[in-house]
Amino acid sequence: MPADDGTVFALHPQLAQDTVAIGELKLCRLLLNKDANYPWLVLVPRRPDVTEMIDLDASEQAQLTTEIAAVSHALKDITPCDKLNVAALGNMVAQLHVHVIARRKSDAAWPRPVWGVAPALAYGDNELRTLIGAVRRKLGLEQDQ
Amino acid sequence: MPADDGTVFALHPQLAQDTVAIGELKLCRLLLNKDANYPWLVLVPRRPDVTEMIDLDASEQAQLTTEIAAVSHALKDITPCDKLNVAALGNMVAQLHVHVIARRKSDAAWPRPVWGVAPALAYGDNELRTLIGAVRRKLGLEQDQ
């Protein structure tokens, strides 16, 4: 997807390594973080060289807000959730990415933020497939994406 | 400010204790966190009984996005900043509040998120007044708010 200046969006290798692709929303690539401690989605706007939300133009910021809301509703509907955590940090990986995490009072980090607290827990194959399928259905994403 | 159901917005006591009021934006009360380790602003939508961004209606979410962007630009303009951190967590204080933090690679928590890492550092009176004045000027807030 070439941008106006000819550069191309590419997912940062660290994000690619830590996640499984769920599908493409209008602005963002939607990813699942490979950490079964928390239902943890990540939205990455498909724009090159963007590190801050304010690097997006106003219409893209509005679209990002819409997609954060859609993903938040989907997570709340399909997983037990006491609180959503929504965050754009980017201290380790500068490429703009927004975390949307379903938190439980019984989870591995509660009430702390999740970053750097508990080692990532591997998903079982069935568990991963079931969660991704549920997110795709809620968001109307095609199964073959 | 009564809401439709007659309830009234009130700032959570913990947020009141941890911050200094800067002024009122169209939707949010703007606060400065009393921690001189980081230029750290907090936006609190003046709506009662709201804990998640998706508890706001679509137009309020859009307004919140606009205010986050304005505050982000203001912080970037007036403080040295290697990265912005923008987050709505709410695990400790459920009332919806959005952190906008100017991070430096030399700061007390880098590259970790700021929460729970370094004890809050008191501002000097002049330092506090100068920062709040700069934020108010950037955002066009009246000095007497």
Side-chain angles (χ1 to χ4, degrees):
Chain A
M1 180 169 297
D4 292 346
D5 61 355
T7 56
V8 172
F9 168 77
L11 188 64
H12 188 288
Q14 188 67 52
L15 291 174
Q17 182 178 315
D18 293 345
T19 67
V20 179
I22 296 180
E24 304 290 343
L25 303 173
K26 187 174 166 194
L27 174 65
C28 294
R29 182 163 298 171
L30 181 61
L31 308 168
L32 174 74
N33 202 18
K34 288 188 281 190
D35 183 351
N37 282 307
Y38 329 90
W40 181 342
L41 303 180
V42 180
L43 289 153
V44 184
R46 290 186 306 277
R47 296 289 180 270
D49 302 325
V50 168
T51 62
E52 303 288 2
M53 289 196 289
I54 54 173
D55 293 339
L56 299 173
D57 67 29
S59 69
E60 290 169 334
Q61 288 181 41
Q63 181 62 28
L64 178 58
T65 300
T66 299
E67 295 182 7
I68 290 169
V71 165
S72 297
H73 280 293
L75 261 192
K76 271 194 84 167
D77 287 350
I78 64 183
T79 71
C81 173
D82 295 313
K83 186 73 191 68
L84 291 166
N85 288 177
V86 178
L89 304 178
N91 305 339
M92 307 286 277
V93 173
Q95 180 176 58
L96 177 60
H97 59 286
V98 181
H99 304 271
V100 182
I101 310 161
R103 302 297 308 274
R104 304 276 341 243
K105 291 180 179 174
S106 57
D107 73 30
W110 185 270
R112 290 168 292 176
V114 297
W115 299 276
V117 173
L121 184 67
Y123 273 104
D125 284 349
N126 278 344
E127 191 185 7
L128 187 70
R129 235 187 332 260
T130 300
L131 180 54
I132 289 177
V135 173
R136 284 180 175 154
R137 275 190 299 279
K138 274 284 169 194
L139 293 170
L141 295 167
E142 296 301 317
Q143 290 296 318
D144 59 355
Q145 276 188 315
Chain B
M1 179 169 295
D4 292 345
D5 62 355
T7 56
V8 172
F9 168 76
L11 188 64
H12 189 287
Q14 188 66 52
L15 290 174
Q17 181 178 316
D18 293 344
T19 67
V20 180
I22 296 180
E24 304 290 344
L25 304 173
K26 187 174 167 194
L27 174 65
C28 294
R29 181 163 298 171
L30 181 60
L31 309 168
L32 174 74
N33 202 18
K34 288 188 280 193
D35 183 352
N37 282 305
Y38 330 90
W40 181 342
L41 303 180
V42 180
L43 289 153
V44 184
R46 291 187 304 278
R47 296 289 179 271
D49 302 325
V50 167
T51 63
E52 304 288 1
M53 289 195 289
I54 53 173
D55 293 339
L56 299 173
D57 67 29
S59 69
E60 290 169 334
Q61 288 181 41
Q63 181 61 30
L64 178 58
T65 300
T66 299
E67 295 182 8
I68 291 169
V71 165
S72 297
H73 280 293
L75 260 192
K76 270 195 85 168
D77 286 351
I78 64 182
T79 71
C81 173
D82 294 313
K83 187 72 191 67
L84 291 166
N85 288 176
V86 178
L89 304 178
N91 304 339
M92 308 285 277
V93 173
Q95 181 175 57
L96 177 60
H97 58 289
V98 180
H99 305 272
V100 181
I101 310 161
R103 301 298 307 276
R104 305 274 343 242
K105 291 180 179 175
S106 56
D107 74 28
W110 186 270
R112 289 167 293 176
V114 296
W115 299 276
V117 173
L121 185 67
Y123 274 104
D125 285 349
N126 279 343
E127 191 185 8
L128 187 70
R129 233 185 335 258
T130 300
L131 179 56
I132 289 177
V135 173
R136 283 180 174 154
R137 275 191 299 280
K138 274 285 169 192
L139 292 171
L141 295 167
E142 296 301 318
Q143 290 297 318
D144 60 354
Q145 275 189 314

